[in-house]
Amino acid sequence: MLSAISRSAVILLVLNAACASKPAQPELTEKERAAQVASYDAAYSKIKERHFDPVKVGADWDAKHAQLRPKVENAKTQDEARAATKELIASLQQSHFGIIPAEAYEDISPAASNARDTPDNGGEPGFELRAIEGQAVVTRVAPGSGAESAGINRGWALTSVNGKPVAPIVAKLEKAHADSRDRGMMIAVALRSLLHGPEGSTSSFEFLGTDDKPVVVEVVLEPPQGTPVEFGNLPTMYLEIDRTPRAPDIGYMWFSVWFDPPKLMSELQTAVKECSGCKGFIIDLRGNIGGIGALAMGFGGWFVDKPDQRLGTLITRDSRLNFVLNPRATPFTGPLAILVDEMSASTSEIFAEGMRDIGRARVFGTPTPGAALPSTVEILPSGDRLQFAFANYISAKGEPLEAQGVHIDEPIAITRVALLAGSDPVLDAAISWIRSQPK
């Protein structure tokens, strides 16, 4: 099993955002400062030893480490010490490298704090946002969530959270990430952090609804939906799966993360077997920020009938591993559509690009972030977690996914007007393509 844990890239951002709003930190004790210095050196060493490109962590990396070390030695707070480590890591200019503050686990992960009944920041309303036309627009409302019960609809534009205006935040984020490939993901993650709060608390959300009429909704924040998943040193994650058909005679499966192999593969097997006579099948990876890389091979095996095909190649400093597909006994061989968006990262990108490269799928949606590096998470002396990439990934056609993203066959812009009308342009395009294919 590969530790290709892309969801952690987004978790890093969410956790750091949660910690950013904490009160001013006390001054470091000598013991805490020593732990941060040790963590800084450990982060430098672990990355230098395992980075897939020795040139990337050569003389310049050594010089950067020496240059920034005094900042850690003279830091007055935990955040000041971490800032130097983050600056060192940021100099690599690659995804899947970062620091998760130790206290973030107390806020986000009930498992880590042993306070399952009273997590500080684990409640959520049950809807997702994307930046569309300069607004924070609802793109998904989770079935059975507080948001659904409160009547929140797709296409509504969020204008404030507990009285805090959202428009200035969106404008600032769009300006900051204007030239970034992962702009959409960065903004979506930041907007997500605005929605979280203590479980059981009530948040007030103001929207522009149909015809831009103001709507104020109060939602009780609930625990995350789905099955809790524990993986390595990461906080608790949650696997949600939706197999509700979106059109007659067309199979459909959406899932939130590539984790919990037994459950995920069992659900896919059931979906494929129930759809043996379907006209086509849709794998919806929108919002899926990745997980265990090897699961992409397991999924692909259900949609191919020829051996010795591969999704791509994983390259470490010392080895190469081909992502080979092993056909199942009764695979689905009809038209396959894959849906992606700005939050479809890492394993989602590996699967989508790989299946497209071998001519097995057509990809629909909006640009993906190009965050495809397999990574791992380790605990540092300070208690912080270090995420770092240990391998590169090259697609079946020999192209890198990092900073490039998936090649989309049918790019489709999402508009608020379409969402308000109850339309899903990406899904509709996929269904239309499937129906156009010869029998």
Side-chain angles (χ1 to χ4, degrees), residues 16-368:
N16 284 325
C19 287
S21 61
K22 284 184 169 293
Q25 294 183 329
E27 188 166 336
L28 286 171
T29 65
E30 287 304 314
K31 182 178 180 180
E32 289 171 336
R33 183 177 289 104
Q36 284 292 348
V37 171
S39 294
Y40 176 80
D41 289 339
Y44 156 78
S45 298
K46 289 177 183 293
I47 293 172
K48 185 174 181 65
E49 291 167 2
R50 296 190 60 187
H51 197 283
F52 53 89
D53 183 358
V55 175
K56 193 78 173 177
V57 289
D60 289 345
W61 176 251
D62 297 339
K64 193 71 173 179
H65 169 257
Q67 174 194 342
L68 294 174
R69 197 173 192 273
K71 288 189 176 182
V72 189
E73 296 171 333
N74 298 318
K76 293 183 179 181
T77 66
Q78 296 280 15
D79 283 347
E80 284 186 20
R82 291 179 184 130
T85 307
K86 292 176 181 179
E87 186 176 347
L88 174 67
I89 292 171
S91 68
L92 294 171
Q93 297 183 327
Q94 292 177 316
S95 71
H96 291 70
F97 287 83
I99 297 293
I100 309 174
E103 59 265 27
Y105 281 74
E106 298 173 1
D107 289 341
I108 304 297
S109 173
S113 63
N114 293 318
R116 291 185 179 274
D117 296 329
T118 57
D120 294 333
N121 207 37
E124 55 186 35
F127 64 88
E128 295 182 8
L129 299 169
R130 296 288 189 274
I132 300 175
E133 300 160 359
Q135 295 178 298
V137 178
V138 177
T139 55
R140 179 176 182 267
V141 177
S145 66
E148 183 181 59
S149 299
I152 294 173
N153 293 317
R154 295 166 66 244
W156 284 14
L158 184 66
T159 56
S160 73
V161 179
N162 295 322
K164 184 176 184 178
V166 172
I169 298 174
V170 175
K172 183 177 180 180
L173 290 168
E174 290 194 327
K175 182 178 180 180
H177 299 286
D179 299 324
S180 302
R181 167 80 197 190
D182 57 3
R183 165 185 170 276
M185 183 173 73
M186 296 297 101
I187 296 174
V189 168
L191 293 175
R192 177 187 295 178
S193 71
L194 292 175
L195 308 180
H196 287 218
E199 288 181 18
S201 66
T202 299
S203 285
S204 177
F205 300 101
E206 184 171 352
F207 299 90
L208 293 178
T210 304
D211 298 325
D212 278 348
K213 293 181 179 179
V215 182
V216 178
V217 178
E218 291 193 345
V219 180
V220 176
L221 305 185
E222 302 172 338
Q225 292 189 331
T227 305
V229 178
E230 303 289 343
F231 191 87
N233 292 315
L234 288 173
T236 303
M237 291 163 284
Y238 296 84
L239 172 63
E240 298 177 66
I241 299 173
D242 184 357
R243 295 198 290 107
T244 306
R246 296 319 198 248
D249 299 324
I250 296 178
Y252 176 87
M253 184 170 175
W254 172 90
F255 54 103
S256 58
V257 288
W258 295 80
F259 281 108
D260 195 348
K263 181 175 180 62
L264 196 54
M265 293 306 299
S266 174
E267 290 281 351
L268 176 64
Q269 177 177 336
T270 299
V272 170
K273 288 187 175 181
E274 289 179 350
C275 203
S276 59
C278 286
K279 173 70 174 176
F281 201 99
I282 297 172
I283 297 291
D284 192 344
L285 298 178
R286 291 176 293 180
N288 187 321
I289 52 185
I292 301 172
L295 275 171
M297 291 187 281
F299 255 61
W302 279 104
F303 297 99
V304 297
D305 57 1
K306 298 177 182 178
D308 301 323
Q309 298 185 86
R310 60 190 176 103
L311 298 177
T313 303
L314 184 77
I315 303 172
T316 69
R317 183 175 295 193
D318 305 314
S319 65
R320 298 172 66 92
L321 175 65
N322 292 326
F323 271 43
V324 178
L325 301 180
N326 295 309
R328 296 284 180 158
T330 55
F332 180 84
T333 57
L336 175 64
I338 300 176
L339 315 186
V340 298
D341 69 1
E342 57 265 56
M343 291 288 281
S344 304
S346 203
T347 305
S348 291
E349 293 180 289
I350 288 171
F351 179 76
E353 184 68 19
M355 296 299 284
R356 178 187 181 278
D357 279 0
I358 63 174
R360 186 59 195 89
R362 189 168 181 82
V363 181
F364 301 78
T366 54
T368 64

Side-chain angles (χ1 to χ4, degrees), residues 399-423:
E399 299 179 3
L401 280 173
E402 178 67 14
Q404 303 297 321
V406 176
H407 291 86
I408 299 175
D409 296 297
E410 291 195 30
I412 300 169
I414 306 300
T415 67
R416 186 176 168 229
V417 170
L419 293 172
L420 284 170
S423 174

